[in-house]
Amino acid sequence: MRTALRIALAASAALLTLGVAQAQEKTLRIGTEGAYPPFNNLTSDGQLVGFDIDIAKALCDEMKVKCTFVAQDWDGIIPALQAGKFDAIVASMSITPERQEKVDFTHKYYNTPSAIAVPKDSPLKGVTKEDLAGKNIGVATTTTHFNYASKTYTDSTIKGYPSSPEEQADLANGRLDAIEDDIVVLQQWLDSPDGACCKILGQPSPQPVEIFGPGAGIAVRKGETDLVNKLNNAIDAIRKNGKYKGINDKYFKFDVYGAES
């Protein structure tokens, strides 16, 4: 009896140890685009880098889980999440009512404004609907910028692109009159040799919350409230303990989080 009891206790202890080890080794699979520097970018040797990636790693550390990354084209990133290819999207995705019908979001982890860039020798003087009437404007499709441009610049031709680098190349090569994108993405490009051609013309105003949303959040599958809560707590924690600032200062000269909300 005692021998049997010892065996049973030993087996229970082994299962408990295994359970703890499995809990510690829990993996969070994160989808990101890899074509939106400085937020997320795929290097020539296949490594995902950028602000989004560093933030995701800090959140995983805070939640004490292992994180792995999956590069996914932007157009298919929400369907891939819904299909279970990964567990969360950390890819500078703006929180909007349209997307909230498909996924659940954390609160924001940053919020930056939209801007318009043009060639340095452009005759354009402003960024209103009237200023850009008759012009060709490039914007990445399935983004809040594309939604805004399509609804605002109705007297212009809006040309959609798979991601920011393609629209930037066409502006540099004279195939577009202007492009609209996140101001940080545009500024990083303008600071590079490839962006020496161009300049920021201005920021559209107002920038309606109903289109741009309250900022960029982390998307998860509908109904995964526990994961949303854990991610929200982790975002709050890295804001308080200084890890967010360390990552922020690596990429930006200002607090990309925006106004506290």
Side-chain angles (χ1 to χ4, degrees):
M1 289 291 291
R2 290 181 178 177
T3 301
L5 180 59
R6 289 194 185 104
I7 292 172
L9 289 171
S12 296
L15 288 172
L16 180 60
T17 301
L18 178 61
V20 171
Q22 287 175 335
Q24 290 173 338
E25 293 172 1
K26 179 176 173 58
T27 298
L28 186 67
R29 299 167 300 162
I30 296 172
T32 194
E33 183 187 14
Y36 197 59
F39 295 101
N40 58 77
N41 194 36
L42 198 61
T43 64
S44 58
D45 61 352
Q47 298 297 310
L48 282 164
V49 297
F51 177 80
D52 286 331
I53 310 306
D54 289 354
I55 288 291
K57 289 178 179 177
L59 296 177
C60 287
D61 287 345
E62 193 66 36
M63 295 188 295
K64 295 180 172 54
V65 299
K66 177 183 178 182
C67 60
T68 59
F69 294 90
V70 179
Q72 171 68 48
D73 290 344
W74 181 257
D75 288 355
I77 203 165
I78 287 180
L81 172 69
Q82 294 169 325
K85 188 174 180 180
F86 33 79
D87 306 305
I89 298 172
V90 186
S92 295
M93 181 172 283
S94 296
I95 303 166
T96 65
E98 180 184 10
R99 289 177 179 148
Q100 287 173 315
E101 294 177 1
K102 302 174 183 177
V103 298
D104 287 342
F105 279 101
T106 64
H107 56 56
K108 73 170 183 178
Y109 65 98
Y110 82 84
N111 191 13
T112 53
S114 171
I116 298 285
V118 297
K120 285 181 176 177
D121 60 357
S122 172
L124 293 171
K125 302 299 182 184
V127 296
T128 66
K129 174 182 176 179
E130 293 74 22
D131 291 325
L132 295 175
K135 304 301 181 182
N136 294 315
I137 305 173
V139 195
T141 56
T142 68
T143 65
T144 53
H145 303 290
F146 187 83
N147 294 342
Y148 178 79
S150 298
K151 292 179 179 180
T152 302
Y153 299 115
T154 53
D155 294 333
S156 306
T157 299
I158 307 302
K159 299 186 67 175
Y161 290 83
S163 62
S164 298
E166 288 88 351
E167 70 188 40
Q168 292 165 359
D170 270 9
L171 183 64
N173 293 326
R175 290 188 282 268
L176 292 170
D177 299 299
I179 60 175
E180 183 185 348
D181 212 329
D182 185 282
I183 192 170
V184 175
V185 172
L186 288 174
Q187 191 59 61
Q188 188 190 54
W189 173 60
L190 295 173
D191 289 341
S192 74
D194 289 341
C197 60
C198 304
K199 65 181 180 181
I200 289 178
L201 182 62
Q203 296 178 31
S205 181
Q207 303 211 354
V209 174
E210 62 269 21
I211 294 180
F212 289 106
I218 298 171
V220 304
R221 283 181 288 276
K222 274 288 187 182
E224 296 195 354
T225 306
D226 185 55
L227 180 55
V228 169
N229 291 337
K230 288 178 179 177
L231 286 164
N232 277 337
N233 290 337
I235 293 169
D236 292 342
I238 65 171
R239 285 286 295 170
K240 290 177 182 176
N241 65 23
K243 291 182 180 179
Y244 187 101
K245 185 178 188 305
I247 296 169
N248 182 100
D249 293 352
K250 176 180 174 182
Y251 295 96
F252 311 113
K253 296 178 181 179
F254 60 93
D255 186 0
V256 76
Y257 188 81
E260 294 290 345
S261 57

